[in-house]
Amino acid sequence: MATRTQMPSNSSGLIAMIADEDTITGFLLAGVGNVDIRRKTNYLIVDSKTTVKQIEDAFKDFTTREDVAIVLISQYVANMVRFVVDSYNNPVPAILEIPSKDHPYDPQHDSVLSRVKYLFNTESVAGDRR
Amino acid sequence: MGEENEATNTQQSTTESEALNFLDSVDNYLILIESLTSTLGQGWLELSSARHSMGGSRLNNVLLTLKHHSAPTTVELDYDNAGSMTKSKAPQLTLSKWKPSATQESNESEATTSPLKTENHRGKVLSMFGGMVSPKLRASQLSFETALETLVEIANVRSSVLEAHRALKLHKG
Protein backbone atom coordinates (compact mmCIF):
# COMPACT_ATOMS: atom_id res chain seq x y z
CA MET A 1 0.00 0.00 0.00
CA ALA A 2 1.26 3.51 -0.87
CA THR A 3 2.54 5.60 2.03
CA ARG A 4 1.43 9.08 2.88
CA THR A 5 3.17 12.02 4.53
CA GLN A 6 2.14 12.49 8.16
CA MET A 7 0.15 15.62 8.90
CA PRO A 8 1.76 18.33 11.09
CA SER A 9 1.51 17.88 14.89
CA ASN A 10 -1.80 19.75 15.10
CA SER A 11 -3.89 20.00 11.97
CA SER A 12 -7.34 19.44 10.63
CA GLY A 13 -8.49 16.71 8.28
CA LEU A 14 -11.50 15.73 6.26
CA ILE A 15 -13.92 12.88 6.83
CA ALA A 16 -14.09 10.78 3.65
CA MET A 17 -17.01 8.42 3.01
CA ILE A 18 -17.70 5.31 0.95
CA ALA A 19 -21.35 4.43 1.53
CA ASP A 20 -24.88 4.32 0.11
CA GLU A 21 -26.73 7.43 -1.03
CA ASP A 22 -28.76 8.04 2.13
CA THR A 23 -25.75 7.73 4.42
CA ILE A 24 -23.70 10.09 2.27
CA THR A 25 -26.60 12.56 2.00
CA GLY A 26 -27.01 12.54 5.76
CA PHE A 27 -23.35 13.22 6.46
CA LEU A 28 -23.23 15.89 3.76
CA LEU A 29 -26.11 17.59 5.59
CA ALA A 30 -23.85 17.55 8.65
CA GLY A 31 -21.27 19.56 6.71
CA VAL A 32 -18.50 17.08 5.87
CA GLY A 33 -18.73 17.43 2.09
CA ASN A 34 -15.64 18.83 0.38
CA VAL A 35 -15.12 19.54 -3.32
CA ASP A 36 -11.69 20.75 -4.42
CA ILE A 37 -10.79 22.95 -7.40
CA ARG A 38 -10.50 19.86 -9.62
CA ARG A 39 -14.05 18.88 -8.58
CA LYS A 40 -12.69 15.94 -6.63
CA THR A 41 -14.97 14.97 -3.75
CA ASN A 42 -14.27 13.30 -0.44
CA TYR A 43 -17.03 10.73 -0.92
CA LEU A 44 -18.09 7.86 -3.15
CA ILE A 45 -21.77 6.93 -3.40
CA VAL A 46 -22.08 3.16 -3.75
CA ASP A 47 -25.06 1.81 -5.65
CA SER A 48 -25.88 -1.26 -7.72
CA LYS A 49 -23.77 0.02 -10.62
CA THR A 50 -20.62 0.67 -8.56
CA THR A 51 -17.89 -1.85 -9.29
CA VAL A 52 -15.52 -3.43 -6.78
CA LYS A 53 -12.62 -1.77 -8.61
CA GLN A 54 -14.20 1.68 -8.11
CA ILE A 55 -14.60 0.99 -4.39
CA GLU A 56 -11.04 -0.27 -4.12
CA ASP A 57 -9.67 2.75 -6.00
CA ALA A 58 -11.66 5.15 -3.81
CA PHE A 59 -10.43 3.41 -0.64
CA LYS A 60 -6.80 3.59 -1.80
CA ASP A 61 -7.24 7.20 -2.85
CA PHE A 62 -8.78 8.32 0.48
CA THR A 63 -6.22 6.43 2.58
CA THR A 64 -3.31 8.06 0.75
CA ARG A 65 -4.65 11.62 0.67
CA GLU A 66 -2.84 13.92 3.10
CA ASP A 67 -5.96 15.88 3.97
CA VAL A 68 -8.14 12.92 5.11
CA ALA A 69 -8.28 12.04 8.82
CA ILE A 70 -11.15 9.54 8.94
CA VAL A 71 -12.58 7.21 6.28
CA LEU A 72 -16.13 6.03 6.92
CA ILE A 73 -17.07 2.91 5.00
CA SER A 74 -20.33 1.00 5.20
CA GLN A 75 -19.59 -2.46 6.52
CA TYR A 76 -21.32 -4.21 3.61
CA VAL A 77 -19.11 -2.18 1.21
CA ALA A 78 -16.02 -3.00 3.28
CA ASN A 79 -16.91 -6.70 2.93
CA MET A 80 -16.61 -6.32 -0.86
CA VAL A 81 -12.99 -5.13 -0.45
CA ARG A 82 -12.25 -6.95 2.81
CA PHE A 83 -8.70 -7.89 1.87
CA VAL A 84 -7.75 -4.28 1.17
CA VAL A 85 -9.48 -2.96 4.32
CA ASP A 86 -7.92 -5.57 6.61
CA SER A 87 -4.46 -5.01 5.11
CA TYR A 88 -4.59 -1.35 6.07
CA ASN A 89 -2.55 -0.73 9.24
CA ASN A 90 -1.87 3.01 9.50
CA PRO A 91 -3.24 5.05 12.43
CA VAL A 92 -4.28 7.91 10.13
CA PRO A 93 -6.66 8.05 8.46
CA ALA A 94 -8.74 5.95 10.86
CA ILE A 95 -10.96 3.48 9.02
CA LEU A 96 -14.38 3.17 10.63
CA GLU A 97 -16.88 0.58 9.45
CA ILE A 98 -20.45 1.75 9.91
CA PRO A 99 -23.82 0.05 9.54
CA SER A 100 -26.09 0.87 6.63
CA LYS A 101 -29.87 1.06 6.34
CA ASP A 102 -30.22 -2.38 4.77
CA HIS A 103 -27.21 -4.11 6.35
CA PRO A 104 -26.97 -4.05 10.16
CA TYR A 105 -23.56 -3.94 11.83
CA ASP A 106 -21.95 -7.34 12.37
CA PRO A 107 -19.12 -7.38 14.96
CA GLN A 108 -17.81 -10.61 13.41
CA HIS A 109 -16.75 -8.68 10.30
CA ASP A 110 -15.39 -5.55 11.99
CA SER A 111 -11.71 -5.14 11.03
CA VAL A 112 -10.69 -3.90 14.51
CA LEU A 113 -12.47 -6.68 16.40
CA SER A 114 -11.28 -9.34 13.97
CA ARG A 115 -7.68 -8.43 14.86
CA VAL A 116 -8.28 -8.94 18.55
CA LYS A 117 -10.90 -11.70 18.50
CA TYR A 118 -8.40 -14.50 19.13
CA LEU A 119 -8.34 -13.25 22.74
CA PHE A 120 -12.06 -13.92 23.03
CA ASN A 121 -14.56 -16.61 22.37
CA THR A 122 -16.14 -14.93 19.28
CA GLU A 123 -19.62 -16.28 20.05
CA SER A 124 -19.72 -14.44 23.37
CA VAL A 125 -18.78 -11.11 21.73
CA ALA A 126 -21.46 -11.36 19.02
CA GLY A 127 -24.18 -13.00 21.14
CA ASP A 128 -24.15 -10.59 24.12
CA ARG A 129 -24.51 -7.57 21.87
CA ARG A 130 -27.65 -8.70 20.03
CA MET B 1 13.88 -16.38 45.68
CA GLY B 2 11.79 -13.64 47.31
CA GLU B 3 12.92 -11.15 44.67
CA GLU B 4 11.93 -13.53 41.88
CA ASN B 5 8.46 -13.93 43.37
CA GLU B 6 8.11 -10.14 43.65
CA ALA B 7 9.16 -9.67 40.02
CA THR B 8 6.68 -12.37 38.90
CA ASN B 9 3.89 -10.75 40.95
CA THR B 10 4.66 -7.32 39.48
CA GLN B 11 4.65 -8.70 35.96
CA GLN B 12 1.39 -10.54 36.63
CA SER B 13 -0.33 -7.44 37.99
CA THR B 14 0.92 -5.40 34.98
CA THR B 15 -0.49 -8.02 32.60
CA GLU B 16 -3.80 -8.06 34.51
CA SER B 17 -4.01 -4.28 34.41
CA GLU B 18 -3.31 -4.30 30.68
CA ALA B 19 -5.93 -7.01 30.17
CA LEU B 20 -8.50 -4.93 32.07
CA ASN B 21 -7.54 -1.86 30.05
CA PHE B 22 -7.99 -3.82 26.84
CA LEU B 23 -11.37 -5.25 27.90
CA ASP B 24 -12.59 -1.77 28.92
CA SER B 25 -11.56 -0.37 25.53
CA VAL B 26 -13.36 -3.14 23.63
CA ASP B 27 -16.46 -2.66 25.81
CA ASN B 28 -16.45 1.11 25.13
CA TYR B 29 -16.01 0.44 21.42
CA LEU B 30 -19.02 -1.87 21.27
CA ILE B 31 -21.20 0.47 23.36
CA LEU B 32 -20.36 3.38 21.03
CA ILE B 33 -21.12 1.26 17.94
CA GLU B 34 -24.56 0.46 19.41
CA SER B 35 -25.18 4.15 20.09
CA LEU B 36 -24.08 5.01 16.54
CA THR B 37 -26.43 2.39 15.04
CA SER B 38 -29.34 3.88 16.95
CA THR B 39 -28.49 7.47 15.94
CA LEU B 40 -27.97 6.56 12.30
CA GLY B 41 -31.27 4.65 12.31
CA GLN B 42 -33.03 7.77 13.50
CA GLY B 43 -31.27 9.87 10.87
CA TRP B 44 -32.24 7.50 8.04
CA LEU B 45 -35.85 7.44 9.22
CA GLU B 46 -36.02 11.23 9.31
CA LEU B 47 -34.39 11.42 5.88
CA SER B 48 -36.97 8.98 4.47
CA SER B 49 -39.79 11.03 6.04
CA ALA B 50 -38.34 14.19 4.51
CA ARG B 51 -38.13 12.45 1.11
CA HIS B 52 -41.76 11.34 1.48
CA SER B 53 -42.99 14.86 2.21
CA MET B 54 -40.69 16.76 -0.19
CA GLY B 55 -40.71 14.24 -3.02
CA GLY B 56 -37.94 12.01 -4.32
CA SER B 57 -36.87 14.45 -7.04
CA ARG B 58 -36.07 17.12 -4.43
CA LEU B 59 -33.95 14.82 -2.29
CA ASN B 60 -31.47 12.84 -4.36
CA ASN B 61 -27.77 12.80 -5.11
CA VAL B 62 -28.17 14.64 -8.43
CA LEU B 63 -28.61 17.82 -6.40
CA LEU B 64 -25.33 17.42 -4.54
CA THR B 65 -23.26 20.35 -5.67
CA LEU B 66 -19.91 19.82 -7.38
CA LYS B 67 -19.07 23.49 -7.02
CA HIS B 68 -15.76 24.04 -5.25
CA HIS B 69 -16.32 24.32 -1.50
CA SER B 70 -14.46 23.39 1.68
CA ALA B 71 -16.01 21.17 4.30
CA PRO B 72 -17.22 23.28 7.25
CA THR B 73 -17.09 20.19 9.49
CA THR B 74 -13.67 18.62 9.88
CA VAL B 75 -11.59 16.73 12.43
CA GLU B 76 -8.74 18.27 14.43
CA LEU B 77 -5.74 16.00 14.95
CA ASP B 78 -3.57 16.35 18.04
CA TYR B 79 -0.38 14.30 17.64
CA ASP B 80 0.99 15.61 20.94
CA ASN B 81 -2.02 13.98 22.69
CA ALA B 82 -2.54 17.19 24.74
CA GLY B 83 0.73 16.63 26.60
CA SER B 84 -0.32 13.25 27.96
CA MET B 85 2.25 10.75 29.16
CA THR B 86 1.16 7.97 26.81
CA LYS B 87 3.26 7.43 23.72
CA SER B 88 0.47 6.57 21.33
CA LYS B 89 1.26 6.93 17.64
CA ALA B 90 -2.37 7.65 16.78
CA PRO B 91 -3.43 11.28 17.27
CA GLN B 92 -6.32 12.38 19.45
CA LEU B 93 -9.23 13.40 17.22
CA THR B 94 -11.72 16.19 17.95
CA LEU B 95 -14.69 17.16 15.82
CA SER B 96 -14.75 20.74 14.60
CA LYS B 97 -18.31 21.57 13.50
CA TRP B 98 -19.37 24.32 11.15
CA LYS B 99 -16.08 26.15 11.13
CA PRO B 100 -16.01 29.08 8.69
CA SER B 101 -13.68 28.71 5.70
CA ALA B 102 -10.50 30.82 5.42
CA THR B 103 -12.27 33.20 2.98
CA GLN B 104 -15.19 33.68 5.33
CA GLU B 105 -12.84 34.29 8.29
CA SER B 106 -11.04 37.10 6.45
CA ASN B 107 -14.35 38.69 5.45
CA GLU B 108 -15.94 38.52 8.86
CA SER B 109 -14.75 40.28 12.01
CA GLU B 110 -15.16 37.19 14.23
CA ALA B 111 -13.18 34.03 13.53
CA THR B 112 -15.07 31.95 16.11
CA THR B 113 -18.28 30.12 15.31
CA SER B 114 -21.29 31.68 17.07
CA PRO B 115 -24.63 29.82 17.35
CA LEU B 116 -26.11 32.20 14.76
CA LYS B 117 -23.33 31.47 12.28
CA THR B 118 -23.74 27.73 12.92
CA GLU B 119 -27.42 28.06 12.02
CA ASN B 120 -26.46 30.00 8.88
CA HIS B 121 -24.05 27.23 7.85
CA ARG B 122 -26.74 24.60 8.48
CA GLY B 123 -29.23 26.61 6.43
CA LYS B 124 -26.76 26.98 3.56
CA VAL B 125 -26.31 23.22 3.35
CA LEU B 126 -30.07 22.60 3.52
CA SER B 127 -30.60 25.10 0.69
CA MET B 128 -29.01 22.50 -1.68
CA PHE B 129 -32.44 20.88 -1.59
CA GLY B 130 -34.48 24.01 -2.25
CA GLY B 131 -35.91 26.97 -0.36
CA MET B 132 -38.54 25.35 1.87
CA VAL B 133 -37.38 22.08 3.35
CA SER B 134 -39.23 19.64 5.57
CA PRO B 135 -38.61 19.89 9.34
CA LYS B 136 -37.72 16.20 9.11
CA LEU B 137 -34.74 17.12 6.93
CA ARG B 138 -33.52 19.54 9.62
CA ALA B 139 -34.02 16.81 12.23
CA SER B 140 -32.06 14.39 10.07
CA GLN B 141 -29.25 16.94 9.81
CA LEU B 142 -29.01 17.11 13.61
CA SER B 143 -29.08 13.31 13.92
CA PHE B 144 -26.18 12.96 11.51
CA GLU B 145 -24.28 15.67 13.39
CA THR B 146 -24.73 13.59 16.57
CA ALA B 147 -23.60 10.50 14.65
CA LEU B 148 -20.42 12.38 13.66
CA GLU B 149 -19.65 13.15 17.31
CA THR B 150 -20.05 9.46 18.15
CA LEU B 151 -17.85 8.47 15.20
CA VAL B 152 -15.01 10.69 16.37
CA GLU B 153 -15.29 9.08 19.83
CA ILE B 154 -15.21 5.66 18.17
CA ALA B 155 -12.07 6.64 16.24
CA ASN B 156 -10.31 7.56 19.51
CA VAL B 157 -11.48 4.40 21.28
CA ARG B 158 -10.38 2.35 18.26
CA SER B 159 -6.84 3.65 18.79
CA SER B 160 -7.09 2.69 22.49
CA VAL B 161 -8.25 -0.84 21.59
CA LEU B 162 -5.37 -1.37 19.16
CA GLU B 163 -2.84 0.16 21.55
CA ALA B 164 -4.07 -1.93 24.51
CA HIS B 165 -4.02 -5.03 22.33
CA ARG B 166 -0.46 -4.28 21.26
CA ALA B 167 0.65 -3.83 24.90
CA LEU B 168 -1.05 -7.06 25.97
CA LYS B 169 0.46 -9.01 23.10
CA LEU B 170 3.88 -7.65 23.98
CA HIS B 171 3.66 -8.83 27.58
CA LYS B 172 2.23 -12.19 26.67
CA GLY B 173 5.23 -12.70 24.43
Side-chain angles (χ1 to χ4, degrees):
Chain A
M1 193 157 291
T3 53
R4 50 174 269 166
T5 317
Q6 185 170 302
M7 290 181 179
S9 60
N10 288 299
S11 60
S12 66
L14 298 172
I15 300 173
M17 299 164 286
I18 305 173
D20 57 273
E21 183 181 339
D22 275 4
T23 305
I24 300 273
T25 304
F27 283 121
L28 291 185
L29 283 171
V32 302
N34 190 86
V35 181
D36 67 12
I37 289 170
R38 290 169 295 169
R39 292 179 119 194
K40 209 170 160 192
T41 62
N42 61 328
Y43 56 88
L44 171 72
I45 297 175
V46 176
D47 56 23
S48 54
K49 296 188 186 99
T50 312
T51 62
V52 171
K53 175 98 180 36
Q54 283 175 301
I55 296 166
E56 219 176 280
D57 287 346
F59 183 84
K60 285 176 182 171
D61 176 49
F62 293 148
T63 51
T64 50
R65 275 173 65 165
E66 289 178 8
D67 58 349
V68 172
I70 294 177
V71 176
L72 303 180
I73 180 167
S74 294
Q75 195 178 49
Y76 84 97
V77 175
N79 287 342
M80 295 180 199
V81 291
R82 183 50 65 192
F83 177 72
V84 177
V85 172
D86 284 353
S87 306
Y88 178 83
N89 278 319
N90 297 338
V92 177
I95 310 300
L96 302 181
E97 293 182 34
I98 59 175
S100 67
K101 243 179 14 177
D102 304 320
H103 301 87
Y105 172 77
D106 181 0
Q108 298 265 26
H109 287 126
D110 185 286
S111 63
V112 171
L113 294 177
S114 65
R115 281 176 220 203
V116 306
K117 70 179 178 185
Y118 74 93
L119 290 173
F120 297 101
N121 173 338
T122 51
E123 285 172 3
S124 66
V125 171
D128 289 347
R129 294 292 162 187
R130 289 202 187 108
Chain B
M1 193 68 171
E3 282 174 6
E4 276 178 21
N5 282 342
E6 210 177 301
T8 310
N9 287 340
T10 310
Q11 195 179 10
Q12 198 174 356
S13 72
T14 308
T15 308
E16 279 171 3
S17 141
E18 275 161 4
L20 274 171
N21 199 22
F22 170 71
L23 291 171
D24 280 342
S25 303
V26 172
D27 193 48
N28 282 343
Y29 184 79
L30 290 169
I31 288 170
L32 285 169
I33 294 274
E34 256 188 68
S35 169
L36 174 74
T37 304
S38 166
T39 310
L40 283 176
Q42 191 176 338
W44 288 319
L45 192 61
E46 286 155 350
L47 199 57
S48 297
S49 300
R51 185 176 281 121
H52 179 74
S53 59
M54 289 166 63
S57 57
R58 279 192 66 193
L59 207 63
N60 64 57
N61 65 15
V62 169
L63 298 165
L64 298 177
T65 179
L66 286 179
K67 219 169 80 171
H68 167 52
H69 67 274
S70 306
T73 298
T74 56
V75 172
E76 302 290 333
L77 294 98
D78 177 12
Y79 280 92
D80 295 328
N81 286 319
S84 74
M85 295 299 287
T86 55
K87 290 178 186 174
S88 172
K89 287 181 195 171
Q92 189 69 15
L93 303 174
T94 316
L95 188 66
S96 170
K97 288 201 302 188
W98 304 114
K99 195 176 159 187
S101 64
T103 332
Q104 284 173 319
E105 273 181 12
S106 61
N107 289 340
E108 293 165 4
S109 53
E110 289 174 36
T112 53
T113 310
S114 65
L116 183 63
K117 286 192 179 119
T118 301
E119 278 311 306
N120 286 345
H121 284 306
R122 285 197 179 110
K124 224 183 258 184
V125 170
L126 285 171
S127 65
M128 263 199 305
F129 301 105
M132 301 270 288
V133 296
S134 162
K136 286 289 183 187
L137 193 65
R138 292 182 189 275
S140 174
Q141 187 179 45
L142 293 174
S143 294
F144 276 95
E145 278 185 39
T146 307
L148 276 180
E149 287 163 11
T150 309
L151 279 164
V152 171
E153 272 188 73
I154 289 172
N156 288 326
V157 170
R158 172 188 177 270
S159 306
S160 307
V161 169
L162 294 174
E163 188 55 40
H165 173 250
R166 216 172 290 131
L168 199 60
K169 217 171 145 185
L170 198 69
H171 270 97
K172 275 189 150 202

